[in-house]
Amino acid sequence: MEAAPATGRTSLPTRILLGMVIGAALGVTLNILYAPSIGAPASQAWLNVLWIADNIANPVGQLFLRLLFMVVVPVVFCSLFLGVAGLGSVEKLGRLGGRTLLWFLLTTTGAALLALFLVGLIEPGKQISPEGLERVKEAYLGAAQERIAQGSQSKSMIDTLLEIVPKNVVAAAADNGAVLGLICFALLLGAAATRMPMERTKTLREALETIYELCVKVLGWAMQLAPYGVCGLIFTATSKLGFDVMKLVAWYFATAMGGLFLWQFVAITLLAKVFAGISVRRFYSGCRTLLVTAFSTSSSNATMPTTIRTAVEEFGAPKEIAGFVIPLGATMNMNGTALFEGVSVLFLAQVSGVELGISQQLVVLAMAVLTAIGAAGVPGGSLPLLAVVLTQVGVPAEMMALILGVDRLVDMTRTVPNVTSDLVCSLWLARREGVKLKD
Ligand code: ASP
């Protein structure tokens, strides 16, 4: 799988941030200047602002969002099928393969659990006045509010579990709220493929790999639209809602970034110490280039060569171990992404007023882990899959618009633990194989 197109890779983050700043500054200024106070009649200038928001800014933003949503079904199906079907060869690698997968699963689940804990503790989606919340809901949800009201809260544990197995997989793929069914189908089909000689499934696997890569290309194009899309979305939000919405987004941003920092600087550092026997200072002095590369490219795939180089040259891991664990991890092991998805889904559920009981939170946890495994290691790779988790728990995917303005920074930050977790895994396995790592 390839990283996002090289063109503009350096300038794209800056352009997206610029889009966000311009959209927010314009929106807030127009809101302050022209928004009528409650009960007062709307001026012509205010009506013009609303017209621009609804007819220009929002459609551009929606176009960007739709491009992300468009690739959901093929990405989910191909990545999960290929992931499981490929396990046939991992099995053959014996201990190394088993331990690698265990590491991926446990660290990703740990990161998603931290997300659940933090959002439950901080409640970023509730840090707004009741009137402000009403206006946010009105602007973002509109007609979807009804859908939420009859939506997931009423689902029992049994229903949620039953829904995992679809009666009709085509209907499940077509029904925005039933992607769990598609996930189940892809996993089962992948498992069936491991029970067949690799030769028999080769053509299918190659075809699905190509579809997956094509979707990643389309996603790369969508990301080129991101500066305008983000500008349009944030303008629409801030012009209609003023500072209220900025405050809400700031709480989300602080929670997500706080979680990612905790995971990177506490959890990963501890894992490096305990499992690979590397001190904090040694770990970070060896990782400097890696951290900068992951942060600036926002892509686990683009960072992969640096991750391998760091493992081998800085820490002395054998090439074979690093060469096996790290490419697999770049596609499958995304601690930061799982944490981000957990925080985003629970935050948006809080804003939408969707109450998630324990069973629904467990669904979020499992889906954050699964979709982090399925996400492509490119900038914004997890955004289409975030939409999947949102719809699954009854939060309209359109709500994503609320957090996209700050996603670039969150994406850069979440890519760091995505790659350092792969690095520590390879160092742990090297140490277990009796290799003496460089001090
Ligand atoms: N940018 C992330 C990575 O490459 C994926 C994502 O969470 O969007 O690791």
Side-chain angles (χ1 to χ4, degrees), residues 146-163:
E146 229 168 85
R147 221 188 318 149
I148 294 177
Q150 341 146 329
S152 59
Q153 311 91 305
S154 54
K155 264 188 216 159
S156 69
M157 179 85 161
I158 305 276
D159 287 341
T160 314
L161 286 176
L162 271 180
E163 214 179 67

Side-chain angles (χ1 to χ4, degrees), residues 321-350:
I321 294 186
F324 165 70
V325 172
I326 292 170
L328 203 62
T331 8
M332 289 181 79
N333 185 31
M334 298 200 183
N335 294 185
T337 296
L339 194 148
F340 148 76
E341 291 198 24
V343 170
S344 305
V345 172
L346 297 181
F347 163 75
L348 293 174
Q350 282 176 354

Side-chain angles (χ1 to χ4, degrees), residues 294 297-303 330 333-334 336-338 340-341 375-384 407 410-412 414-416 418-419:
T297 60
S298 243
S299 164
S300 300
N301 286 356
T303 311
N333 185 31
M334 298 200 183
T337 296
F340 148 76
E341 291 198 24
V378 299
S382 55
L383 293 180
D407 189 59
V410 179
D411 192 4
M412 293 163 90
R414 68 182 176 252
T415 307
V416 174
N418 282 356
V419 304

Side-chain angles (χ1 to χ4, degrees), residues 74-137:
V75 164
V76 167
F77 182 77
C78 297
S79 66
L80 293 177
F81 173 83
L82 290 169
V84 179
L87 289 184
S89 54
V90 174
E91 255 169 36
K92 288 199 202 92
L93 286 160
R95 314 191 283 277
L96 203 58
R99 292 217 171 95
T100 305
L101 294 181
L102 196 68
W103 178 278
F104 291 178
L105 202 66
L106 292 184
T107 55
T108 310
T109 309
L113 267 175
L114 177 62
L116 261 56
F117 171 74
L118 283 180
V119 181
L121 187 76
I122 302 173
E123 303 200 311
K126 295 189 178 160
Q127 307 296 337
I128 187 171
S129 63
E131 310 82 62
L133 186 61
E134 264 327 297
R135 276 189 286 145
V136 170
K137 282 200 293 214

Side-chain angles (χ1 to χ4, degrees), residues 295-381:
F295 187 75
S296 55
T297 60
S298 243
S299 164
S300 300
N301 286 356
T303 311
M304 190 165 57
T306 315
T307 321
I308 297 180
R309 202 193 58 75
T310 309
V312 176
E313 288 175 20
E314 292 286 344
F315 294 104
K319 272 203 195 76
E320 316 72 65
I321 294 186
F324 165 70
V325 172
I326 292 170
L328 203 62
T331 8
M332 289 181 79
N333 185 31
M334 298 200 183
N335 294 185
T337 296
L339 194 148
F340 148 76
E341 291 198 24
V343 170
S344 305
V345 172
L346 297 181
F347 163 75
L348 293 174
Q350 282 176 354
V351 176
S352 324
V354 174
E355 289 295 333
L356 299 179
I358 289 291
S359 64
Q360 289 295 90
Q361 294 208 21
L362 288 179
V363 171
V364 173
L365 179 80
M367 289 200 64
V369 172
L370 270 178
T371 51
I373 293 174
V378 299

